Amino acid sequence: MSTPAFDVVVRNARVATASDVFVSDIGITNGKIAVLGLGLASGKVEMDAAGRVVTPGGVDAHCHLDQPMDPPVRMADGFESGTRSAACGGTTTVIPFAAQQKGESLRAAVDDYHRRADGQAHVDYAFHLIVSDPTPEVLTQELPALIAEGYTSFKLYMTYDALKLNDAQVLDVLAVAREHGAMAMVHAENADAIEWLTRRLEAAGRTAPRWHAHARPMLVEREATHRAIALSQLVDVPILIVHVSGREAVEQIRWARSHGLQIFAETCPQYLFLTAEDLGIDDSYKGARCVCSPPPRDKANQQVIWDGLADGLFTLISSDHAPFRFDAPEGKRPGGQEVPFRHIPNGIPGLETRLPLLYSEGVLGGRITLEKFVELTATNPAKAYGLHPRKGTIAPGSDADLVIWDEGEFVVDNKLLHHNVDYTPYAGMTLRAWPAVTLASGQVVWDGHEFFPRQGQGQFLRCGPPTLRPRLR
Ligand code: URP
Ligand code: ZN
Ligand code: ZN
């Protein structure tokens, strides 16, 4: 018998990239895609994908794993359980955040985050930075050095006391992004307006989870989005507005594009599938599960987000996985208490459900094409953060990160997920697709039923400069 030509051959796949869908075999050697074409020679492992769609492994470019929190609050997922969950949902690259604390050096935050990740990850990972204290040392030394070392993106917050920057600080950091070719991600909500609304709600005794949505109406997101756009125009540098929730922010981004400004935009599944009612229609604490910022809006805004995905307004879709257990003193009940909404840890889990939700309700629901799905979930995230073409596509030379899709009926049930969170906001939804197989660097890490650990084999990725083309419309 002749020696197999490849480590793995995936046969007769309906290969989907951001530009085409075509039938091909995929030959894999040493964790990389070696060749595409029909009738390939044999592989040590043969996988029949006849009739099945195969997409690039997802790149989740906005998720929070083991990010340091003020005690008693702690994230439920670190790099081990987070990347396990990602892999089982078809995501093979994650980009969480090395977050600078005020008073801390950025370098210290990066070193600490490497210690948290080392030897843990089942899939590949890169780091964004969070810049919360842009001292002269950070602006002139640390940030330029870190960008040169492969940390080419950073998030700026316009809200949250522990993280927020004022406008002058935002300008300072954007100037560094311009000079050194990095991508700035902006969390756009007006901090003072939120604080003012929160105090009034508290004074009226309105502290249940559902009031979180009233403290952060679309107006506060719209104003900050507009301000971020203006600041980016002043510095003449592209920015990426993260977790856009609805019409008012979308209108600002459309306005910016129509004026020729390079504004990229991200949204998340929570703005397609949840509404403010998921935070509660009465004072029940159950709504704490869906407290995230910006909050989910309403059905009409869900449609605005779908439209923006289909027509190119959005550059990418991420999970914003921010994992806190609901029934836990380190989670949504800090210290074991039902706390006023201002103290509920913000965020919801979603690493594992991002791709199945979008494939099922977007592609199979007829709202977006398969090519658009790939662009939004893999190709553009890889381009935005300098990982393309190693990640985010199916092409010779790219990492053999693949998802073979199963179509059928899949009821979302937290017991079947692999994160360390005790709930999913999507429990009970019937989806039409789920990954049948996930390959990470050519190795099966999920086969539709079972997870195959490769802890510590996930590699840290140094990012290059962003390679997204400007989208003007
Ligand atoms: O509520 C959210 N989105 N929590 C995670 C942190 C952030 O701002 O992305
Ligand atoms: Zn944010
Ligand atoms: Zn986030």
Side-chain angles (χ1 to χ4, degrees):
M1 231 171 70
S2 60
T3 326
F6 301 101
D7 294 337
V8 183
V9 176
V10 180
R11 295 223 177 257
N12 296 309
R14 269 187 74 211
V15 173
T17 69
S19 56
D20 298 292
V21 180
F22 52 93
V23 176
S24 180
D25 303 339
I26 306 169
I28 297 169
T29 299
N30 294 332
K32 303 264 183 202
I33 298 173
V35 66
L36 298 176
L38 285 169
L40 295 188
S42 65
K44 286 181 209 149
V45 176
E46 289 276 334
M47 305 181 85
D48 179 17
R52 295 191 179 213
V53 169
V54 177
T55 58
V59 178
D60 196 332
H62 182 162
C63 55
H64 303 267
L65 300 175
D66 198 11
Q67 199 173 304
M69 297 277 125
D70 285 338
V73 175
R74 206 175 58 236
M75 288 197 168
D77 287 315
F79 282 80
E80 193 285 314
S81 61
T83 58
R84 179 196 338 149
S85 179
C88 297
T91 287
T92 49
T93 305
V94 296
I95 318 183
F97 297 85
Q100 180 197 25
Q101 316 288 312
K102 287 197 198 290
E104 182 195 37
S105 88
L106 207 44
R107 176 69 68 179
V110 170
D111 291 347
D112 172 66
Y113 212 44
H114 274 295
R115 281 191 290 275
R116 292 167 186 260
D118 275 353
Q120 299 296 311
H122 300 279
V123 302
D124 292 349
Y125 59 97
F127 293 170
H128 302 295
L129 309 173
I130 289 174
V131 182
S132 68
D133 198 358
T135 59
E137 170 77 11
V138 165
L139 294 169
T140 61
Q141 308 294 323
E142 291 198 324
L143 208 38
L146 286 163
I147 294 168
E149 287 170 36
Y151 307 86
T152 58
S153 49
F154 32 81
K155 185 170 175 190
L156 312 180
Y157 283 82
M158 298 170 86
T159 186
Y160 295 141
D161 286 345
L163 299 171
K164 73 178 182 216
L165 304 187
N166 63 34
D167 292 354
Q169 291 173 313
V170 171
L171 288 166
D172 279 342
V173 180
L174 292 185
V176 177
R178 177 183 157 84
E179 191 178 344
H180 297 274
M183 177 65 89
M185 312 159 75
V186 181
H187 179 134
E189 289 185 297
N190 180 313
D192 286 351
I194 292 167
E195 180 58 28
W196 185 82
L197 286 164
T198 300
R199 286 208 196 126
R200 286 174 75 98
L201 288 162
E202 287 173 341
R206 295 173 166 179
T207 60
R210 68 178 163 126
W211 296 106
H212 174 82
H214 295 254
R216 305 177 103 100
M218 284 206 287
L219 178 158
V220 306
E221 186 186 3
R222 180 233 300 167
E223 185 282 327
T225 301
H226 185 84
R227 190 157 29 103
I229 289 167
L231 299 178
S232 115
Q233 184 178 11
L234 193 56
V235 178
D236 187 23
V237 66
I239 56 170
L240 191 148
I241 312 275
V242 294
H243 44 49
V244 172
S245 74
R247 179 179 56 79
E248 297 200 21
V250 163
E251 284 171 355
Q252 296 305 312
I253 295 161
R254 287 200 197 282
W255 176 88
R257 298 256 181 91
S258 73
H259 286 74
L261 304 176
Q262 282 190 49
I263 304 297
F264 300 108
E266 172 203 80
T267 192
C268 313
Q270 45 272 37
Y271 307 117
L272 296 168
F273 299 103
L274 303 179
T275 68
E277 290 197 356
D278 289 297
L279 275 67
I281 45 174
D282 57 21
D283 283 354
S284 154
Y285 200 71
K286 283 203 296 256
R289 293 170 215 234
C290 293
V291 165
C292 62
S293 299
R297 307 300 182 183
D298 60 16
K299 292 266 178 215
N301 280 287
Q302 290 180 351
Q303 187 56 47
V304 170
I305 301 295
W306 278 118
D307 293 343
L309 289 172
D311 73 12
L313 184 277
F314 287 109
T315 317
L316 54 97
I317 183 162
S318 309
S319 68
D320 195 7
H321 182 83
F324 299 103
R325 291 173 73 85
F326 172 63
D327 204 4
E330 73 280 11
K332 295 278 185 177
R333 295 176 198 267
Q337 307 293 316
E338 293 190 356
V339 296
F341 71 81
R342 92 149 69 221
H343 301 298
I344 298 172
N346 276 210
I348 60 175
L351 259 171
E352 195 163 348
T353 43
R354 176 183 71 122
L355 294 185
L357 283 167
L358 199 69
Y359 191 101
S360 171
E361 302 313 296
V363 178
L364 299 180
R367 295 175 169 106
I368 58 171
T369 64
L370 194 45
E371 291 92 330
K372 180 58 87 176
F373 169 84
V374 172
E375 177 186 300
L376 289 163
T377 59
T379 313
N380 275 355
K383 287 182 175 176
Y385 303 116
L387 293 172
H388 185 268
R390 175 169 176 186
K391 301 292 183 186
T393 192
I394 299 179
S398 298
D399 285 355
D401 295 343
L402 302 171
V403 184
I404 305 177
W405 285 91
D406 211 356
E407 296 181 15
E409 240 187 48
F410 303 85
V411 179
V412 181
D413 177 349
N414 198 54
K415 287 203 286 297
L416 301 176
L417 300 182
H418 299 79
H419 58 194
N420 205 14
V421 184
D422 56 357
Y423 73 97
T424 166
Y426 309 109
M429 271 183 79
T430 302
L431 300 186
R432 296 175 248 202
W434 204 269
V437 177
T438 308
L439 291 172
S441 296
Q443 293 177 14
V444 175
V445 67
W446 165 248
D447 74 354
H449 305 281
E450 205 183 327
F451 169 63
F452 298 90
R454 52 193 298 279
Q455 190 174 355
Q457 291 184 62
Q459 302 291 305
F460 172 68
L461 305 167
R462 293 186 189 279
C463 298
T467 58
L468 271 178
R469 294 244 211 87
R471 174 134 209 150
L472 303 176
R473 63 155 72 202

